[in-house]
């Protein structure tokens, strides 16, 4: 069961890949993408988790997202999420506001003044990842990979 670093579509045989080999490949792919993402985010003084938090809050729009829902979506603890949000709030990136029916519940939104920066970060990050990935992966392969990630993530 040899692991080939140059797997082509015509010779790929899933039965010839062990669970530990696929686990190593998965972990390695995660680290490669994370490293390139973190490098691109350095110019904005953001970590990957901070960017994921900002982006998830951005997706929630003006109504906002509960801190507990952010923690669940990002698969982290409420304490970590609260600390991250407090930091991003102190930097003028996020807002916390009380829920209109339950003052104990805080809703998180992206400050309107930061939304333009979010668009810029997304464009820069996409461009850098595209340049790195498309040297070896075509658009259809990447789309299939992301589609599978979403399906696996949904298994919870």
């Amino acid at each position: 069961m040899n692991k080939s670093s140059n797997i082509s579509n015509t010779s790929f045989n899933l039965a010839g890949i062990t669970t530990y080999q696929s686990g190593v490949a998965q972990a390695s792919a995660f680290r490669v993408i994370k490293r390139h993402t973190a490098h691109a985010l350095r110019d904005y003084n953001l970590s990957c988790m901070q960017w994921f938090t900002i982006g998830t809050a951005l997706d929630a729009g003006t109504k906002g997202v509960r801190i507990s829902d952010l923690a669940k979506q990002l698969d982290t603890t409420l304490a970590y999420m609260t600390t991250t949000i407090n930091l991003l709030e102190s930097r003028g990136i996020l807002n916390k506001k009380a829920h209109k029916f339950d003052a104990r519940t805080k809703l998180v939104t992206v400050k309107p003044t930061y939304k333009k920066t979010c668009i810029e970060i997304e464009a820069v990050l996409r461009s850098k990842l595209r340049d790195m990935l498309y040297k070896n992966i075509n658009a259809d392969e990447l789309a299939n990979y992301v589609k599978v990630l979403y399906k696996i993530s949904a298994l919870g």
Side-chain angles (χ1 to χ4, degrees), residues 15-125:
I17 305 292
T18 64
T19 57
Y20 58 84
Q21 288 170 335
S22 67
V24 169
Q26 177 183 340
S28 179
F30 169 76
R31 285 190 301 274
V32 167
I33 291 172
K34 183 178 180 182
R35 183 175 59 247
H36 285 272
T37 301
H39 184 19
L41 290 171
R42 230 181 273 153
D43 292 340
Y44 299 95
N45 194 27
L46 294 171
S47 70
C48 292
M49 278 300 281
Q50 289 170 343
W51 174 238
F52 303 157
T53 301
I54 294 165
T56 305
L58 185 66
D59 285 349
T62 56
K63 84 173 194 178
V65 60
R66 294 183 321 167
I67 296 173
S68 58
D69 290 339
L70 270 172
K72 185 176 178 181
Q73 283 183 274
L74 296 174
D75 195 26
T76 191
T77 65
L78 187 57
Y80 178 84
M81 191 83 301
T82 300
T83 301
T84 300
I85 290 165
N86 287 341
L87 173 70
L88 293 171
E89 185 179 36
S90 74
R91 290 181 49 200
I93 296 171
L94 296 180
N95 275 327
K96 273 190 308 198
K97 61 183 179 181
H99 190 279
K100 63 182 174 181
F101 299 120
D102 183 358
R104 297 169 298 167
T105 301
K106 302 295 182 222
L107 297 172
V108 178
T109 59
V110 174
K111 283 196 172 193
T113 55
Y114 199 77
K115 288 181 181 180
K116 186 175 180 181
T117 304
C118 290
I119 293 167
E120 177 186 321
I121 294 170
E122 180 64 19
V124 167
L125 196 51

